[in-house]
Amino acid sequence: MATTIEKTDLKSGAAAKSALRPFRAKDLLNQVVIQGLAVSPDGESVVYVRRTVEDNKYARRLWRVPFKGGRPEQITSAKSNDTRPRFSPDGRKLLFISDRTGKPQVWLMPLQGGEPRQLTDLPNGAGAAEWSPEGKRVLLLAGSGEKRFLVGKPDDPIARRIRDYTWKIDGSGYRDEFTSVWITDLESGKPARLTPATYDVGGASWSPDGKHIAFIADLRPEAALLEYPQLWSLPSRPGKDEPTQMASLAGAVFNVAWAPAQQVAILGTSEPHSPGWSNVDLCLTDGKTTRQLAAGRDLDIWNTTYGDFEDNEQFMAQLCWIDEHHVAGLVAHRGSSHPYSFGADGSVKALAEEDVVCNAIAAGGGRVAVVASGDGPADVYAVEGSKLRRLSDDGSKWFGPFHSPIERVEVPHPDGHNIDAWLLRARGEAGKAPLVVAVHGGPNLSYGPTPWLEMSALAGAGFHVVWSNPRGSTGYGQAYARAIAGLWGDKDASDIMRVANWAVEQGLTDRDRRGVFGLSYGGFMTNWLLGRHPGAFKAAVSENPVTDMLAQFASSDFGIQIGSGAIGVDQPWDHLAEYLERSPYTKIHLNEAPLLLLQAEQDLRCPPGQSEVVFTILRSLGREVEMVRYPDESHVMLMIGRPDRRVDRIERIVGWFEKHLGS
């Protein structure tokens, strides 16, 4: 028997009752997404980013709300994208990134009244800006200004000469320039580059006295193959100084926070080659010795639960100092993620443990705020007294008419473990209905209590939807995440099938009225199940899948790592049989279920050829298969794709299952 788990009543700005009306794909055009936030130095207010859809484009504007509670106020209004708010040390001014004049540049706004002014005019814009501790200078992350690959004129090149394996990355395309650290004086606004153009900087932070910058980069010649960044420092005054290494982990460093503490906090992996199943650890270093906090606790210190309720800024490991002795981060736990405090003295404390997904965290004046989502979209919350207190409802209010309760269950597996799963009932009602099983990507990521919009659309159209965290998912300890390393399609497929069969046992659906869908690794699993378990599902949707491990090795931006993680070996020429065995396309000819393939044409993580090989095989056999391709879109189109394309995507998913499963 499965166990139903009662969740805490932290609702998404909507009543706990069933939906007032079904969610339809075009309702996405009213979506509000809350992302990055900042807490003022006195802890009295929180600034956050609110994303809406306007004229088929995204608009991101800054809003402010008192920490004690009250009505949020809009503080930027330009028809643009305003992101990454940062309070000045005295709390009187705000830095943010805005594309209101074209390229994203750094802007400065007085909070006592007055118009923002543009601080930088970098040729390719800026990606981040951080105040110096004295409030007179700004640290920037921006393109180096030197092209790596172009032959000929930058605006009319003859060719690209490529020697690095790391020449492209999904969502950004060609890595023609590395990101560098720049420093600018607040008055002059003239930036000077601090790091050379020969390596990429992934993050940077000021020292408490403002004399040094800690930054994340891989300075090895081998970085041209795969980058495993470590922690370095340089004086903050541009000169000819060589970087000094401050810390090195066996894997890679992902994020850094220094001021106001004397020690530097870093998040990274302690496993060689930084495999996806490895925990993200928190360490402190003084530049000489490095020690791990919460060692032995088996904590994964970042939010691994993702979805279209997020924006792209939040998809990274986050940390911030609460005071000089305590650093805060998010810890993944069984589909949720919780804010934690880690003391320099080794103390560890969960600041709140509701059944929610926290995907952003910030601190100021000793206070902590998060962006969190429960069984609906995200809002801003104050963290206090081991609880979350709502500060905004504009992130979730738009979803109120479509809200339906989410049931969390534990599905027992014969191997002895339970599988966490969530159920959204068809139109919020009990009884039998066609059922769709959703499979998340990664595989070393997780689902949680917050449904994706296509799940709500499917439920509104009359389908039960169930999503789960099979073996390989994160937030359940490192052993659970590592269980499928080198063996994609074995234990994980067994868990997915167990959930699908559980739904039949519970009387939710009939065996011949089940569908399956997934994106990325979820697309791999969809195609794998169709070929290895033919007849188990009546219809399927596969989005940006992995289907051909050899082609994935050769064409994906992370192909080497994906092959190693899925098969356990990274040299296909010596292991051709293993690469073919783990490629879903080699058995897809056994599939009879109608299959819809959704493919982003600019996906560099799972390129279009991965869908094409499956389409070609099934179409040549006369099977029911359709491929829909979205121009100009990257791997995570479901989160940040053009709004009308996201609407089309959801309509096609729902329509496919309506056609082939009924409702």
Side-chain angles (χ1 to χ4, degrees), residues 207-208 212 214 231-233 244-248 256-258 261-266 283-293 321 344:
S207 65
H212 289 83
L231 186 68
W232 303 80
S233 71
T244 300
Q245 189 163 29
M246 296 189 72
S248 176
V256 55
W258 195 346
Q262 293 303 310
Q263 298 186 80
V264 185
I266 56 175
C283 298
L284 293 184
T285 183
D286 59 6
K288 298 178 181 178
T289 60
T290 301
R291 60 190 177 94
Q292 181 184 344
L293 299 183
W321 285 97

Side-chain angles (χ1 to χ4, degrees), residues 2-8 334 355 406-411 418-422:
T3 302
T4 300
I5 301 175
E6 297 297 329
K7 67 188 299 296
T8 55
R334 296 185 61 184
D355 186 16
I406 307 297
E407 299 173 41
R408 182 167 179 248
V409 299
E410 290 184 0
V411 179
N418 289 335
I419 307 161
D420 278 349
W422 292 262

Side-chain angles (χ1 to χ4, degrees), residues 118-161:
Q118 186 172 336
L119 186 63
T120 65
D121 190 20
L122 293 160
N124 289 308
E130 302 290 346
W131 291 94
S132 65
E134 79 279 2
K136 296 181 179 180
R137 291 177 295 163
V138 177
L139 178 160
L140 309 171
L141 292 182
S144 67
E146 297 185 19
K147 301 298 183 183
R148 303 170 61 203
F149 306 133
L150 292 186
V151 178
K153 298 178 181 179
D155 58 347
D156 186 23
I158 297 171
R160 281 186 171 87
R161 180 174 180 262

Side-chain angles (χ1 to χ4, degrees), residues 21 26-32 51-53 398-399 402:
R21 69 176 180 88
K26 288 186 178 179
D27 290 316
L28 179 152
L29 300 177
N30 296 317
Q31 184 186 30
V32 177
R51 189 189 84 181
T52 57
V53 178
W398 74 276
F399 194 75
F402 323 117

